Amino acid sequence: MDISSPPAFNTLAGLIRGHATSRPDSMALVVGQHRMRFGELDALMSRVARALSLHGVRAGETIAVCASSSI
């Protein structure tokens, strides 16, 4: 990455997908003893997105998430 120019605007999902593409085996999340690599996180995000889509949620719609801090 060229640090002389600011990165282009992207979504969090887009940034994670970029890391998953370029370095899928790098660590993305660490919570206590639990760890998840970028490739795993991207795959999980895709599964959640598909499930939301099956329930009628469309791109750009807002949803609420109520969850504990964990992977």
Side-chain angles (χ1 to χ4, degrees), residues 32-62:
Q33 297 299 316
H34 302 274
R35 291 163 172 28
M36 185 175 286
R37 299 179 187 284
F38 278 104
E40 297 168 317
L41 179 57
D42 185 54
L44 177 60
M45 288 180 7
S46 293
R47 287 195 308 271
V48 170
R50 277 192 301 275
L52 290 170
S53 179
L54 289 173
H55 284 87
V57 177
R58 300 291 169 236
E61 289 185 325
T62 302

Side-chain angles (χ1 to χ4, degrees), residues 3-15:
I3 61 171
S4 63
S5 61
F9 179 77
N10 203 339
T11 63
L12 180 58
L15 292 170

